[in-house]
Amino acid sequence: MKSTQNNVNSQNTFMGKSIIDHVSKVISDPIIGSNDERNVEQIKDPIKLNVLHIATEVQPFSSVGGLSNVISYLSKTMLKRGHDVRIFMPKFGIIDERKYKMELIHKGLRVPTGHSKDSTHPQYLICNVKKYVRDDGIIVYFLENMEYYEKRHNVYAYSDDHIRWALLSYGALRYIHRYLDWKPDVLHVHDWHTSLVPNIIATTYKKSDYFSNIATILTIHNMAFLGQDVDPTSELNFDDGKSDIPPLFSERLRRLNYLRRGILYADLVNTVSEGYARQILTKEYGNGLDKLLLELRSKLFGVINGIDYEKMSPETDPLLEANFSTKDLSGRLVNKKKIQKEFGLDVNENVPLFGFVGRLDQQKGVDLLLEVMDKFLKDFNAQFVLIGSGDHGLKKLAEKLAKKYKNKVGVHPYPNFTLPKLVFGGADIMLMPSRFEPCGIVQMEAMRYGAIPIVRATGGLDDTVEDFDPVDLTGTGFKFKDFDGWSLYGQMVRAAETYRNKETWKQLQINAMSADFSWNSVAGKYYNLYSKAIHFKKEGYVHGALIE
Ligand code: GLC
């Protein structure tokens, strides 16, 4: 289904039904739109929705973390289910226009900065809008600005990120409002970066008819980030979220709690797992927003992410040395040997091979992992490979471990797109001892490829991994509760012992590989969320309660 240009006036009807009529049905009947079928082609949702994502990173154009996967695959799956899904994002300098041939569709978009004529700062920033149709049919609008996107090599980590993302939010809204011959039913924003969007709609566009029936949904992928320079414990710089958004170049904008504002003003808020949605209601995980979330919990939901079953298939993946399936797992041993050779480890199919793939940072518990692995390798005959970039100190620690256990430990502390798949397809056990984990994607990818996860029972990890039961041979991995060395060590011993029993291990692998993490079952849940958001918007439920 390619970009059927929808008439703005017809946006609320589809096949003669109105979305609002349908929404009441969805709310009373949670089954509509969700099912467990993996075959994406067959499923169409009853009402077609126009959805616009506004986001900072989207595959394949810019990718830093899991967020870029989620937006890419969620939109692709929703498109297949019959919706018109589009994306609005910055045109970063790293996006190669020779590869992605774009059409300039708007030159000289004047985005107001909020500064007055008399100010020393500009009243407008001038941008262009470019359009590209992705292979899967998704239309992507790029906001082009030399200073804020084009000249930057990275997506994040600039001292003016608060300006860059405010510009994206204002720019997207101005463009769709004034110039686009297509209107979304739902605006879907992600993390603090685009959290100002619902706030701008509720203030700048308060009187606009255009926005009066567009629902907003905010997905929180990570509560740890609130804004550019926000200290949630500082009383002096506390942002209650209800004051006007300061102009773009004011110092106050830097300390604005973008995420709080998103939570306040969005019609619906969700996080990327049910477990994490419950956790952020507590002081420990709420990052200063737990009380607000508790107050607004009737509009808070948790929906787990999925993985792309077309790209992530051990039966066809060209990046594997040997393909395999639940019917014949022998290819895994070929992959295991390949990893051992690649990392200079002893080639031995009977030694349990542990793996870690992910960002080297505190969230992922890499510090704990390296400490415990050092002890474990003294006590057990095992091997370990690590792939991932990030914190310099953790990288040094990993390299030190590799030096100490020469033929047992291999590290690749750099970003890599091909090695992780080989590790999923050949390692026996994958480790994810995260301090917190909103969803986590690696554990799902690992299971799909028959690598058994050991996870800390937190957030999405707890939701997606079922602890192994040796009596009835159910479960998909090993879990531990407390974030401490002995708890992790205990599960590593348990996994290594279970691994010795080949038949039991095989059953565990089949269980893990058979679990359904396909985007299609997830997309059905998003369809329900979108329908709810439209309903909440219509009822004026959010703003009535909190914001005059
Ligand atoms: C963030 C979270 C991770 C989640 C991803 C995609 O990176 O840390 O847990 O899987 O977003 O939602």
Side-chain angles (χ1 to χ4, degrees), residues 212-354:
S212 65
N213 54 359
I214 298 181
T216 51
I217 162 168
L218 162 67
T219 298
I220 302 173
H221 298 261
N222 204 327
M223 257 338 259
F225 307 104
L226 304 171
Q228 177 70 354
D229 243 336
V230 184
D231 173 2
T233 59
S234 158
E235 279 181 29
L236 189 68
N237 293 317
F238 180 73
D239 173 27
D240 71 358
K242 294 175 193 172
S243 57
D244 286 347
I245 302 173
L248 233 60
F249 300 104
S250 78
E251 268 305 296
R252 245 181 352 114
L253 190 71
R254 173 182 294 285
R255 281 184 285 275
L256 214 68
N257 195 323
Y258 281 42
L259 195 68
R260 172 186 282 275
R261 287 172 180 257
I263 292 168
L264 267 172
Y265 291 93
D267 295 303
L268 187 145
V269 178
N270 82 301
T271 68
V272 285
S273 70
E274 283 179 25
Y276 193 59
R278 278 191 300 274
Q279 285 179 320
I280 59 175
L281 299 175
T282 64
K283 201 163 184 286
E284 192 185 348
Y285 293 90
N287 203 10
L289 296 178
D290 39 294
K291 287 208 182 96
L292 176 70
L293 287 164
L294 267 174
E295 246 177 80
L296 298 177
R297 68 185 302 176
S298 49
K299 69 165 178 176
L300 176 67
F301 297 84
V303 172
I304 198 83
N305 292 325
I307 56 174
D308 185 359
Y309 271 61
E310 279 167 36
K311 282 231 166 86
M312 296 297 299
S313 166
E315 290 175 43
T316 53
D317 194 335
L319 294 174
L320 293 179
E321 189 72 0
N323 293 111
F324 59 92
S325 71
T326 46
K327 288 188 197 82
D328 177 6
L329 288 162
S330 56
R332 291 197 97 260
L333 287 179
V334 180
N335 296 322
K336 183 170 176 174
K337 283 184 191 152
K338 171 87 179 161
I339 301 169
Q340 289 170 328
K341 275 189 214 140
E342 194 99 355
F343 282 90
L345 313 180
D346 295 333
V347 178
N348 180 342
E349 62 181 50
N350 292 315
V351 180
L353 174 60
F354 289 75

Side-chain angles (χ1 to χ4, degrees), residues 65-67 70 191 219-222 272 305 359 363-364 436-441:
L67 173 63
V70 171
D191 276 349
T219 298
I220 302 173
H221 298 261
N222 204 327
V272 285
N305 292 325
R359 275 182 280 131
Q363 177 190 338
K364 302 286 174 188
F436 70 95
E437 198 62 75
C439 174
I441 293 177

